[in-house]
Structures are given as structure tokens and as C-alpha cells.
Amino acid sequence: MRNFLFLLVVLPGLLSAQTRAEREADFETWLEIAVWPEAANAGVSRKTFDSALSRVRLNWDLPDLVPPAEQGQQRQTEFGAPSRYFEASVVGAATRIGREEAQRHAATLARIEAETGVPGRILLAIWGRESSYGRAAIPHDAFEVLATKAFAATRSSYFRSELIAALKIAESGRAPTPLRSSWAGALGQPQFMPSSYLAYARDGDGDGRADIWGSAPDTLASIAAYLENKGWQSSRDWGFEVALPASVSCTLEGPDQGRPIREWDAMGIARISGRPFPENEMNGEGYLMLPAGRLGPAFIVTPNFYVLKEYNTSDVYALFVGHVGDRIDFGVGDFIGQWRPVDTLLRSDVVALQTSLEGMGHDVGGADGLVGFKTRQSIGRWQETEGATPTCFPSKDLLIR
């Protein structure tokens, strides 16, 4: 007989030498002795639990299932250049279809904006990015994905809490069955994690259900509820592309170094389009945002940009949403600033660079292989101490030095 206490404490912490059959047996045991008591405590009935999980199996085809012996190691994946997020075909399709959907749902978008303050163009851009305006397939059984990841992924505790949230959705009867998700467990057209569905899903078409799988109005209302709750300011835009003069250091980037837009303007930072900043924005706080340091377009963003990052923590995600929204509604074109070539690096290279900077006392925001604003700041500050012109972005040469 297995040591159940061992299973409760160690799972998912199985030895990589185990066979698939042994791991699958442990998975079945784990669902019963670890997940079921937690689900019952959350108000999930045995009938709902069995209906959701009785046919679930470990899905070995899902990404990011890391054997315990490898946990904590950095995968040898490539760090992607920010410009890849803005391929012309992707941005163009999102804009074209977004304009069509804006006409189709004009009344719904106007009503939601009046109720929440979130512009329709922002809702459309998120909808387009998350599920191609509802056209993308949502192929997975959410319970199989979440249970597998709760058992065998590095962020097991996070996925375990989301599994319990999904079971609560099933218990409530609010969602269609089977519950469909992405490979990451995100639900429906807005790609809400189950906990977000419980908190923010809304009935946008008045039928009494929050169907984010089949209803565009419900999807749009739910995205708006999320952004409104996270602090969207109806009086502010998301940001503006700017020209960054050489006299302004790229190390001034980041949400920790905000100042009134009037002050950025006085420093010589102007909108690259030649138009002035809107007068209603001048006294509001703005932040320099440089997704590729000095090797790409520059922006002054508002607090609403960081509300978009609550939806997805990536700078380029929030930038994509703001940019596509502007293209849908205002007819703007591509960024005027150019994406300059950047070196191809592995994420392990970035980790090595971050670790080195941490050793010199810099706060890079964690050695995670992701080039966030704190890593960009730290690179620029180190470059300045070395007497080099700061780029605030990693390179092979910088790694060697």
C-alpha cells in the first residue's frame, strides 16, 4: 500500500524514473486523497466532482510538464524579439476583423462603454488577441488540462487553485458542459482562468447566463468588467508613441518613475506624430515605456496601460491591445519608430545576464529570462557606469562583457 502521507506532501514530486503507468496511478490517487477533500470543502458535491474528473487522464501532450528532477532549471528556449509580436499579417487581420465586429456589435459596445468606461476598441482588441474574435478553436477539456498541470507542472499550486475554481463553476451550473479551455486552462473567448470567470463573467445579452464560449455580448461585457475592476480610468487613454531624444536616458523607463506628462513634454519628449499631447492628459501621470530599449519604438503610457497588463503581464501584449484598438477606431497606421535588429539569445543567456547584474547590486525584477522594465533599467544603468551609450536591452556583446 502506498504511503498516502508521502503522496499528499510530495505529489507532484515524483521521481523521473517512474513509468507512465506508475505516474498515472499516482495521479488517480492524488485526485481522490488530495483534490477531493479540498473541493468538498469549497462546496463541490461528489456528483459534480465525479462528473468532471472521473474520465480525466494525465495529458502527456500538454506543454510545460516538467519532471521534478528538472524543476527550477531554465529551459533552453529562445528569447523572442519584441517586434515579433507585431507581424504585419497578424496586426492587419486583427484590425480588419475588429472593424467588422465593431459595426456588428456597435450598440452592445456603446452600452458597455457607458456602463464601465472601457472603450469598445480596447474590448475588441483583447477579444481579437485572445480568440481571434471567437473564431479560434477552444479544443481542450478544462478539467483534464487543469488537473494535469496541478499534478505535473512547475506552478502546481496555482493550477490546483484554478482546478478548484473550475469545479465550483461546474457546481454552479453557470457554464456549458463540457467545460472547454486552451492548453493553459483558460476558458472561452476572453480566455479567462476559472477564478476570473467566477469573479468577472457577465451576462451581456440578457439571457440570464454568462456564456463566454458562445456569446459575443457576454464576452465583451466580461472583458469590460475585468478591466473596470482593475482600475480602468475612463478619462485617460492608454498611451502615445513618442520620439525619445538622446538627452533623455532610457533608464527613466518604468511604472516606478512616473511623472506628469507635462514634465515629459518639457524634457523634449513629444508625440512622434507631431500632434500635441491631449490637454486633458497633461497633468496626469505618465510613464516612459521602451519594450526594446533604444532599439525600438518609444511610448509614454498612462495607468491604463498597466490595467491592460493585469489581463496579461507582458508589455508587448498591452502594447498590441492599445495599438490594434487605435487602428480599429482611429485608423492609425504602423508605429512610426522602427524596430531595430536585436541579437538572438536563449532565455538562459538572459538569466545569466540578470544573475550577473544582481551580483552587482541591480534589481532586475528576478532572474527569470524575461526582459521586463527592471531588467532594461538595470542594463542601461550598468552601461552608463561603464561609460557606454545605454541601449537598455540585452545583446551578445553585453553578455560577454
Side-chain angles (χ1 to χ4, degrees):
M1 181 177 292
R2 296 182 183 275
N3 185 325
F4 277 12
L5 180 61
F6 172 85
L7 288 169
L8 280 168
V9 173
V10 175
L11 287 176
L14 304 168
L15 297 175
S16 58
Q18 281 188 304
T19 66
R20 282 195 175 193
E22 289 171 331
R23 294 203 71 176
E24 287 164 359
D26 283 329
F27 175 66
E28 297 294 332
T29 304
W30 171 78
L31 285 173
E32 184 61 34
I33 67 172
V35 178
W36 162 239
E38 188 174 349
N41 191 55
V44 177
S45 68
R46 185 74 210 199
K47 179 180 178 182
T48 296
F49 184 86
D50 288 342
S51 176
L53 296 173
S54 62
R55 291 180 296 277
V56 163
R57 298 293 180 265
L58 270 179
N59 186 342
W60 297 99
D61 295 326
L62 293 175
D64 301 331
L65 302 186
V66 184
E70 299 176 13
Q71 290 186 11
Q73 296 180 12
Q74 181 64 46
R75 290 174 174 265
Q76 293 300 303
T77 52
E78 188 176 300
F79 166 71
S83 60
R84 294 182 183 179
Y85 219 83
F86 300 93
E87 293 181 2
S89 60
V90 175
V91 172
T95 301
R96 175 180 54 80
I97 300 172
R99 289 172 180 163
E100 295 170 359
E101 297 294 342
Q103 293 182 345
R104 183 174 293 115
H105 300 290
T108 296
L109 290 166
R111 173 177 54 80
I112 292 172
E113 182 170 353
E115 293 172 352
T116 65
V118 183
R121 70 183 191 277
I122 296 296
L123 305 179
L124 289 166
I126 291 177
W127 185 25
R129 185 65 198 181
E130 294 296 338
S131 64
S132 191
Y133 302 98
R135 291 160 171 79
I138 306 173
H140 294 287
D141 180 323
F143 293 109
E144 182 167 277
V145 169
L146 294 167
T148 296
K149 286 182 170 289
F151 180 79
T154 51
R155 294 194 299 155
S156 58
S157 60
Y158 167 76
F159 286 107
R160 182 161 164 172
S161 67
E162 293 296 341
L163 174 60
I164 299 300
L167 288 165
K168 291 171 68 174
I169 294 171
E171 182 69 28
S172 72
R174 294 173 61 187
T177 55
L179 204 62
R180 309 304 293 177
S181 77
S182 71
W183 62 264
L187 307 176
Q189 296 183 35
Q191 289 291 274
F192 276 0
M193 294 304 291
S195 59
S196 291
Y197 179 91
L198 290 172
Y200 307 115
R202 297 291 184 269
D203 173 16
D205 55 18
D207 69 352
R209 300 174 64 226
D211 180 9
I212 62 172
W213 292 264
S215 168
D218 289 7
T219 294
L220 294 166
S222 298
I223 296 171
Y226 185 99
L227 296 178
E228 180 188 27
N229 180 269
K230 298 300 182 181
W232 185 273
Q233 298 179 26
S234 60
S235 61
R236 305 289 306 273
D237 207 326
W238 68 268
F240 310 90
E241 187 182 2
V242 299
L244 184 65
S247 59
V248 178
S249 173
C250 57
T251 64
L252 293 178
E253 180 193 4
D256 57 344
Q257 300 187 94
R259 61 185 72 196
I261 289 180
R262 190 178 303 279
E263 292 187 17
W264 292 115
D265 185 63
M267 294 167 65
I269 296 179
R271 292 180 70 181
I272 202 167
S273 66
R275 295 191 296 271
F277 290 108
E279 186 58 36
N280 69 296
E281 294 278 9
M282 293 296 277
N283 293 324
E285 190 158 88
Y287 316 90
L288 182 61
M289 204 280 290
L290 305 170
R294 282 196 173 272
L295 305 179
F299 304 88
I300 293 294
V301 298
T302 77
N304 283 341
F305 179 85
Y306 294 100
V307 173
L308 294 177
K309 285 192 66 176
E310 292 285 338
Y311 207 99
N312 182 308
T313 59
S314 165
D315 286 332
V316 289
Y317 176 92
L319 184 58
F320 180 95
V321 167
H323 179 57
V324 169
D326 287 352
R327 290 173 68 114
I328 289 171
D329 211 15
F330 304 140
V332 302
D334 293 336
F335 297 130
I336 299 174
Q338 298 297 304
W339 298 101
R340 292 162 57 188
V342 301
D343 289 346
T344 299
L345 296 172
L346 297 175
R347 285 185 61 178
S348 57
D349 294 330
V350 177
V351 169
L353 178 61
Q354 291 170 322
T355 302
S356 180
L357 287 165
E358 284 182 329
M360 291 183 279
H362 292 279
D363 177 10
V364 299
D368 56 6
L370 303 175
V371 185
F373 78 91
K374 286 189 175 182
T375 294
R376 299 193 293 266
Q377 282 178 355
S378 298
I379 289 171
R381 288 167 181 166
W382 181 83
Q383 289 171 319
E384 286 180 339
T385 64
E386 293 293 299
T389 300
T391 64
C392 297
F393 205 73
S395 66
K396 290 180 180 178
D397 177 68
L398 184 67
L399 180 63
I400 293 169
R401 291 166 57 193

